Amino acid sequence: MKSAFMARTLAILLAMVLILTACSGGGGSNSEPPAPSAPSAAEEEESAQEPGEQTVVQDFGKDVSGEVTIWVFNENVFEEIADAFMAEYPKIKVNTIFVPFAELHDKLQTALASGTGAPDIAEVEQGQFTRYVTGGVLENLLAEPYDAGQYKDLVPEYNWERWMSPDGKQLLGMPWDSTPGVWYYRADIFEELGLPSDPAELGEYITDGENFLALTQVLTSNGKYLFEWRDGPIHWAGDEIGYFDDNLNWIRDNDRLVQILDYTKRGNQMNWAPHMGIFTDEGKQLVLSGQVAGVALGSWGARELAVSFPELSGKWRVTNLPFGLNFPIGGSSFVIPSQSPNKEAAWVYLQWAMRSENAWKIWTKYSIQPGYSDIAQMEWYAEQANAFLGGQQDYKMYEELAHLIPTKRLNPLDGRGWELWVPRILDALDKNIDSRTTLQLAKEDAENILKEDIEKLRQQLQQP
């Protein structure tokens, strides 16, 4: 770190008041990523062409015929994917039906419960996924004839495990995008304030919590915010591990979370976030005025920032999250309902969409990061420079971070856990309640209020 900045940082740290005071105005791994295993002869995609030539992909079932209906909540890209697929697999017709996000997930749950009316494939977001993981309503993609386990070594571990059933025995969703949480920041503002602006240098610096609070002091004293939500970091830390272990025991009460909650309380006292979304009308004005100098989003965030703030192109950069935290923000999967009459054709389509290089050349045009390491390491992808981020090769960084995300398994009680968790966190921020006490109270809430639900889910998971 540059000496001038370190001197300034030391002065800030010495001047910071370390005794927490009551708040007011409350509101509602370090190893290198593993190299992917070599594909088998049956899996290998031929790529011996000269650069620029179309890659010849493996045959996922050229002899299969049928008609596949897929429900999606993302517009535009799926039509292009369907057209490209049908050009290679003309015996299979794909009907892509756009359904708004909330409606799709509700409609799918109703269809699965009734046993009729579901599509052959549905796009499902990770926060909604647990609505469908019990009752045998989805196909287990590890079983025959799917055998999706052949792709496991190509997927970052976290992105495989999050689509498993709560008992870890079935793969209910096909991994698609990789969405590591990252921190986008205004490099021009950081330079003006004498702060490190290089992504690698800044990323290493803010891994240390005290360093990040020192940086917070500089920015907030100049009227700048560091991200959207004042309670953000403690929720990131919680989302890194989930709510329950494999035996449905509450796990959000460890020393690491106590430390991050302490940091969150101190940062909140410095007014480090406006506590509103930056894509709201008011939030956009804060970004355009330069008051918001950073935002924590998934790796899809550059796309959203570029669409919403084209006039700020070249001023943003991206680095890892502060405090050494790594967790996915968002992400979706594809499920095959057990009631589908076209499972064979659906599986051909899914494999092509997930494993074909031609498919990924379409997905990535829409800033969808591949969840398969062999695709992510291809030169045409990894070496791309993002003009909105000043020419930074952000895709390469996203892939590295994806392999550092701890694994966790989702379950149907996570939503209830969130409802109990948030009020305790806001109380800690607004009333300066001891962090360890706060986490213990949240645990007691979960164990008492969710006792019957936990026991019911345990019994469900024990059924053959």
Side-chain angles (χ1 to χ4, degrees), residues 23-28 229-231 235 268 274-276 422-431:
C23 301
S24 60
W229 308 103
R230 65 190 182 116
D231 49 349
H235 298 318
N268 182 66
H275 208 59
M276 70 173 66
V422 173
R424 289 299 184 185
I425 295 303
L426 293 179
D427 271 354
L429 268 57
D430 295 336
K431 302 174 184 177

Side-chain angles (χ1 to χ4, degrees), residues 401-441:
L401 290 176
H403 289 276
L404 301 178
I405 297 175
T407 62
K408 66 179 181 183
R409 211 166 282 147
L410 308 175
N411 79 60
L413 295 179
D414 288 351
R416 298 287 306 281
W418 169 256
E419 294 170 357
L420 299 174
W421 170 260
V422 173
R424 289 299 184 185
I425 295 303
L426 293 179
D427 271 354
L429 268 57
D430 295 336
K431 302 174 184 177
N432 196 26
I433 298 174
D434 174 73
S435 296
R436 192 172 298 279
T437 299
T438 295
L439 299 187
Q440 179 60 34
L441 290 171

